[in-house]
Amino acid sequence: MKILIAGASGFIGSHIAAHLHAAGHAVVAAARGVESARRRAPWLDWVACDFRHDSSEDWAERLAGVDAVVNCVGVLQDGLGDDSRAVHVAGADALFAACEQAGVRRVLHISAVGVDAAAGSSYARDKLAGEAALKARDLDWLILRPSLVIARNVYGGTALLRALCGIPWVTPLVGGQQVFRPIGMDDLCAAVADLARPDAPSRQSFDLAGPERVSLADAARGYRRWLGFGETRIWPVPRGLAAPAFRAGDLLGRLGVRTPLRSNALKQLDFDVEGDPASWIAATGARPRGFHDWLAANPAGVQDRWQARLGFARPLARWVLGLFWLVTGLLTLTVARSGAMDVLAGAGLTGSAGTAVFWLTSLFDIAVGLAMLAKWRVRGAAALMIAGTIGYVAGISWLAPDLWIDPLGPVIKVFPAMALALLVAATEDER
């Protein structure tokens, strides 16, 4: 079959695209940011799409010759570059309308367990409205609602859970008693491949979930043992204590920094995230593995342990690095101004030349610091930090070489900062 995957660069979409390609299907991979996605999976037929703006007419050419569509597009919450209502409702319906017009009968829509009218988050309401839009179309549709999806790759909530497991001695969790039926990504992909067939069931909703009921606390303990970190003490964090962190995540989202610590995620934890896979299993004969069976079949490697330990260490390193440069620039412009001008004057840079160098270096420090804090082109900002530090060291060696032997080591101490910038740049990938 020729199958179009919308959201093929995302966590679930990328795995489904790879699975269908390996099974011999021709995969049209639609996503935002297709250039970077194409570099990671050049064997797929990539096309650009944007659910925030695309109309049904925009989809017409992309759907040429397509036999089935799998929609995996989703965002957790509104933010810079993300519009939940546009993506989950208007954008999805534009794709569904285009399928109806093009005669592409088979449409599989990836939703989520716990999406119902009682859920208190905008994410749930928008997901539910998107499902309703699909049900209103004359299509052979299927709505698939996965529970917690586990894979070797992690993103969003599963990445956060592993990062929490990387904290030594104690694992903080909001609640901890919420029950999931985790499903392995391989079982999810196999379900999509099976249900994409023309003779598969249609016009139904299936919860895709595993056979094992696992609490959030038990999942954390299981991941800790799987990673080789040993046993842990679960610290149930009161909602009131956790709420500021989730509100900070909302603020970062408005700045374009995606984090699973968002208020929608907190609200979703109050509702069913388990699901009932009975109808799916009865209709297809699927035999998904349980959470602990999946862990046993997929031994953790060094990269999994690194990811868990870096979950909080890496953003902390980025913030420390950004604040270091930002504060340095601000101090130079304020309380350290006279000292900086004296150093420049001692090197013969006085008048307009000295003033120009003073402002240029100060504003450079502030700019790269802000870029790092805002997570804007982090690799480029890190490269500028390293280049700027080399330039500063060269300048100090010329202007004030005695600083090399200063007992406080103001020159020597910049080399660890360069190493930190290199580490942050090397680990910047989100997916």
Side-chain angles (χ1 to χ4, degrees):
M1 298 170 65
K2 184 176 182 180
I3 303 176
L4 183 142
I5 312 294
S9 64
F11 174 52
I12 291 178
S14 62
H15 284 85
I16 291 175
H19 183 93
L20 293 175
H21 177 267
H25 299 288
V27 176
V28 179
R32 286 196 291 176
V34 292
E35 293 307 317
S36 60
R38 184 180 287 113
R39 287 194 294 270
R40 295 192 298 271
W43 44 85
L44 300 178
D45 179 15
W46 288 95
V47 295
C49 74
D50 191 335
F51 268 41
R52 298 169 301 170
H53 311 298
D54 287 353
S55 65
S56 58
E57 290 75 18
D58 295 319
W59 283 102
E61 184 176 348
R62 302 166 193 160
L63 291 172
V66 167
D67 301 302
V69 166
V70 183
N71 178 32
C72 305
V73 176
V75 298
L76 178 60
Q77 194 164 316
D78 289 347
L80 185 64
D82 292 328
D83 186 329
S84 176
R85 191 74 183 175
V87 167
H88 294 137
V89 186
D93 191 46
L95 171 59
F96 303 151
C99 291
E100 195 175 47
Q101 294 162 10
V104 180
R105 300 287 308 170
R106 199 76 184 156
V107 177
L108 277 60
H109 178 60
I110 306 296
S111 187
V113 161
V115 174
D116 56 51
S121 71
S122 58
Y123 170 82
R125 290 192 297 272
D126 291 343
K127 275 288 191 181
L128 194 62
E131 291 185 5
L134 178 58
K135 291 176 181 179
R137 295 290 175 182
D138 181 20
L139 297 167
D140 295 330
W141 53 264
L142 272 177
I143 293 170
L144 308 180
R145 293 176 162 184
S147 183
L148 179 70
V149 181
I150 53 175
R152 290 300 297 270
N153 295 336
V154 288
Y155 184 70
T158 48
L160 175 61
L161 181 57
R162 285 215 202 155
L164 291 170
C165 292
I167 299 174
W169 307 304
V170 66
T171 304
L173 297 174
V174 178
Q177 302 308 310
Q178 301 91 333
V179 176
F180 301 85
R181 286 183 181 266
I183 181 170
M185 182 66 81
D186 47 352
D187 289 323
L188 171 60
C189 292
V192 170
D194 183 48
L195 293 169
R197 295 181 295 105
D199 59 343
S202 64
R203 304 185 73 81
Q204 297 183 57
S205 298
F206 290 141
D207 288 348
L208 302 187
E212 185 179 1
R213 300 178 76 248
V214 180
S215 72
L216 183 59
D218 287 339
R221 293 188 184 98
Y223 267 132
R224 287 269 311 179
R225 290 190 288 268
W226 179 70
L227 291 163
F229 295 163
E231 298 301 323
T232 185
R233 181 185 297 275
I234 301 297
W235 173 35
V237 181
R239 285 180 64 96
L241 187 60
F246 285 84
R247 285 195 291 268
D250 290 345
L251 177 60
L252 290 173
R254 296 189 189 100
L255 298 174
V257 180
R258 294 184 178 91
T259 167
L261 291 173
R262 307 286 284 278
S263 57
N264 271 344
L266 187 61
K267 291 176 182 177
Q268 284 298 119
L269 288 175
D270 293 333
F271 294 88
D272 173 44
V273 286
E274 181 181 353
D276 182 2
S279 60
W280 162 51
I281 292 173
T284 64
R287 299 179 64 184
R289 283 179 296 182
F291 176 65
H292 289 92
D293 286 341
W294 186 93
L295 294 180
N298 294 273
V302 63
Q303 67 274 21
D304 300 298
R305 290 185 282 275
W306 281 3
Q307 188 276 330
R309 291 187 174 117
L310 287 172
F312 288 104
R314 191 181 65 83
L316 178 61
R318 182 174 58 81
W319 274 85
V320 168
L321 193 61
L323 287 172
F324 169 75
W325 281 82
L326 175 62
V327 172
T328 298
L330 293 175
L331 288 176
T332 303
L333 285 178
T334 54
V335 296
R337 181 174 186 140
S338 60
M341 295 302 292
D342 288 343
V343 171
L344 292 172
L349 293 173
T350 58
S352 59
T355 301
V357 171
F358 169 80
W359 278 100
L360 180 64
T361 54
S362 300
L363 294 177
F364 174 83
D365 290 358
I366 292 171
V368 294
L370 287 174
M372 186 63 71
L373 291 172
K375 210 174 181 182
W376 185 75
R377 300 186 181 276
V378 169
R379 285 198 181 93
L384 287 174
M385 288 176 174
I386 294 171
T389 302
I390 293 172
Y392 287 147
V393 170
I396 287 171
S397 300
W398 170 48
L399 300 175
D402 55 304
L403 290 178
W404 275 96
I405 56 174
D406 188 293
L408 294 179
V411 179
I412 300 298
K413 288 176 179 176
V414 302
F415 289 96
M418 284 198 290
L420 187 61
L422 182 63
L423 177 65
V424 169
T427 56
E428 179 49 25
D429 293 305
E430 285 193 346
R431 298 182 186 270

